[in-house]
Amino acid sequence: MVNPNRAAELREGRYRTRLARLIEEGRDYATMLATEHPNDGRLISENPPYVQFAWRDDLRLQIETQGDHYRDAPYSDLQHRLLRTLDFDPPFKHGDDLCNWIIFRDGEGCEPQSVANLLISTLVLVHGVHFYDRPTSQRHGVSYWTFQVWVSPSKRNIKAEIEHRFRCV
């Protein structure tokens, strides 16, 4: 029998690896949606938590998680502190059209594994997501989480764009 904690680590690792690969491939954007399937009879939320990234024209990586107004209930004080600890800026700090919690990263801050770690940590720490499989979740009386990753069909050669920018400067 597989250790449930080890199985959860492997499941989490697969998503972490996939997100890092998408960043490294230069996908224009990707969104990871985490849907909670409550074990206590509550309905599935119509506004599940998500994290996402997008490459900007200026070669910064825009990293986001759900803004308060998109949630069924606003974030708690603890969640606000966690978001700030993870370096997210609050909604609308960078303009009226940026309505999610947001981080802009450039240079070494765009390292794929670092960004993937941030995305997964945000889901786990801020949104309370876990990666246990359905039987383990049921056995422990906790919600089961499913994940969808929506990926841009287009991608950019980020490395070449960075090299070009520094040659032209």
Side-chain angles (χ1 to χ4, degrees):
M1 181 169 146
V2 176
N3 176 335
N5 290 329
R6 180 66 181 140
E9 288 173 11
L10 291 171
R11 186 175 184 217
E12 178 182 325
R14 284 192 298 273
Y15 283 102
R16 188 183 309 268
T17 299
R18 182 172 181 196
L19 290 168
R21 188 183 76 248
L22 295 170
I23 295 161
E24 187 171 16
E25 285 177 358
R27 292 292 173 171
D28 286 330
Y29 63 84
T31 300
M32 183 171 172
L33 186 73
T35 303
E36 180 180 15
H37 302 269
N39 199 26
D40 60 5
R42 287 178 294 132
L43 297 176
I44 294 173
S45 171
E46 292 183 22
N47 300 310
Y50 60 85
V51 291
Q52 59 191 12
F53 73 84
W55 283 104
R56 296 175 55 90
D57 290 340
D58 61 5
L59 297 176
R60 290 187 300 164
L61 201 54
Q62 182 173 325
I63 301 161
E64 300 182 4
T65 194
Q66 189 175 31
D68 295 70
H69 56 285
Y70 290 122
R71 297 173 44 83
D72 293 336
Y75 288 112
S76 68
D77 289 342
L78 174 60
Q79 287 171 308
H80 281 152
R81 285 194 303 275
L82 288 167
L83 286 161
R84 285 185 177 93
T85 298
L86 292 169
D87 289 329
F88 281 93
D89 289 327
F92 307 111
K93 179 179 179 178
H94 298 282
D96 290 343
D97 57 335
L98 298 173
C99 50
N100 287 320
W101 285 83
I102 193 166
I103 297 173
F104 293 105
R105 283 191 172 183
D106 58 6
E108 292 174 355
C110 297
E111 191 277 322
Q113 195 61 52
S114 172
V115 175
N117 289 341
L118 172 64
L119 294 168
I120 295 295
S121 293
T122 300
L123 287 174
V124 171
L125 297 172
V126 175
H127 297 286
V129 170
H130 65 77
F131 289 83
Y132 289 117
D133 60 20
R134 186 180 301 274
T136 301
S137 297
Q138 288 174 338
R139 192 168 44 256
H140 293 287
V142 298
S143 297
Y144 172 64
W145 291 87
T146 56
F147 306 96
Q148 292 175 290
V149 180
W150 297 322
V151 180
S152 165
S154 56
K155 57 184 175 178
R156 299 163 51 186
N157 186 337
I158 299 298
K159 184 177 178 180
E161 288 183 40
I162 290 170
E163 289 173 355
H164 175 73
R165 175 168 288 174
F166 286 107
R167 273 189 299 235
C168 293
V169 174

